[in-house]
């Protein structure tokens, strides 16, 4: 049985403040690149996207060396690393999925299954399949780099927009957030079935999800709280 648990922001803040010996380091990047999402590769290097002007960047925390370059299209947004250490990102405004060559920085563009879907975030599963949330079409999509094919599913009850975040758990179940139905959604690729977990408050606006074995976490930006789903 799944349990939805709301965690108040004040409680989380207390736990964070208790880590008094935590060391914080800052790494300046290209001016006005506006870092948006990050992904850490197997070699420890950090890749990031910059949505506002379409930047991609790379930082080596060991040396502090930083590189950045313009994406072939604007709107770089979500970014992920696959189990084989490939770097992929999606562009909301630029409407594409892209694979970054880690040596040259060149990008191989993959067009979505149809134009105007607005890929917002991306996450790799354990097999290297890429799961994408489509903001403009209200779908979740799976891209298979080996066969170069897409398969998509419309979120249940969705009128065709508002699928924001995506996260793949340790069981390769896919978690999504749906602004239109004010819910967190779990998708089982094996059965192609969805489960809905509506928020207990209106306007949850979960923009990012993450988790650990047996738990999925979402940040309700509209309600100033976190939500935990145990499974």
């Amino acid at each position: 049985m799944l349990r939805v648990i709301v965690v108040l922001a004040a409680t989380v803040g207390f736990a964070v403040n208790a880590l008094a010996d935590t060391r914080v380091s800052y790494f300046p990047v290209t001016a006005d690149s506006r870092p948006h999402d990050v992904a850490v590769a197997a070699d420890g290097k950090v890749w990031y996207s910059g949505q506002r002007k379409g930047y991609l960047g790379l930082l080596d925390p060991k040396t502090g060396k930083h590189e950045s370059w313009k994406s072939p299209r604007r709107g770089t947004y979500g970014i992920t690393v696959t189990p084989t250490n490939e770097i992929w990102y999606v562009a909301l405004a630029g409407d594409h999925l892209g694979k970054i060559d880690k040596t040259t920085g060149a990008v191989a563009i993959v067009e979505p299954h149809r134009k105007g879907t607005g890929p917002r975030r991306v996450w790799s599963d354990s097999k290297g399949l890429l799961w994408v949330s489509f903001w403009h079409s209200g779908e979740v999509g799976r891209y298979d780099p080996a066969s170069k094919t897409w398969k998509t599913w419309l979120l249940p009850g969705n009128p065709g927009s508002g699928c924001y975040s995506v996260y793949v758990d340790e069981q390769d179940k896919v978690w999504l957030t749906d602004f239109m139905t004010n819910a967190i959604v779990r998708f089982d690729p094996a059965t192609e079935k969805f489960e809905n977990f509506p928020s207990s408050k209106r306007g949850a606006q979960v923009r990012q999800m993450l988790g650990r074995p047996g738990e999925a976490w979402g940040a309700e930006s509209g309600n100033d709280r976190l939500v935990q789903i145990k499974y």
Side-chain angles (χ1 to χ4, degrees), residues 86-89 97-101 105-110:
E86 295 178 345
I87 312 297
W88 291 81
Y89 74 92
L97 170 68
K99 180 183 178 183
I100 305 173
D101 186 307
V107 173
I109 288 180
V110 175

Side-chain angles (χ1 to χ4, degrees), residues 41 80-88 99-100 102 124 128 130 145:
T80 193
V81 180
T82 71
T84 56
N85 207 33
E86 295 178 345
I87 312 297
W88 291 81
K99 180 183 178 183
I100 305 173
K102 298 194 300 295
S124 173
L130 299 164

Side-chain angles (χ1 to χ4, degrees), residues 9 13 44-45 52 64 85 116-117 124 131 138 141 159 163 165 171 178 213 227 231:
K45 294 181 179 178
R52 186 169 179 266
N85 207 33
T117 52
S124 173
W131 292 89
C163 181
S165 69
Q171 300 174 1
D178 187 350
V227 58
Y231 54 89

Side-chain angles (χ1 to χ4, degrees), residues 22-28 59 61:
T22 299
R23 186 177 67 180
V24 179
S25 299
Y26 295 95
F27 299 89
L59 169 73

Side-chain angles (χ1 to χ4, degrees), residues 110 128-129 142-151:
V110 175
L129 299 174
R142 182 185 67 200
Y143 181 71
D144 185 339
S147 64
K148 298 182 179 180
T149 56
W150 282 102
K151 187 169 183 178

Side-chain angles (χ1 to χ4, degrees), residues 121-135:
R121 295 194 185 277
V122 59
W123 205 286
S124 173
D125 67 15
S126 65
K127 303 177 183 66
L129 299 174
L130 299 164
W131 292 89
V132 176
S133 59
F134 287 106
W135 174 250

Side-chain angles (χ1 to χ4, degrees), residues 14-30:
F14 177 83
V16 172
N17 292 336
L19 300 177
D21 60 346
T22 299
R23 186 177 67 180
V24 179
S25 299
Y26 295 95
F27 299 89
V29 296
T30 303

Side-chain angles (χ1 to χ4, degrees), residues 28-35 48 52-53 55 66 68 70:
V29 296
T30 303
D32 209 29
S33 61
R34 304 292 178 88
Y48 72 88
R52 186 169 179 266
K53 293 188 176 181
Y55 271 92
H66 166 256
S68 70
K70 291 297 292 292

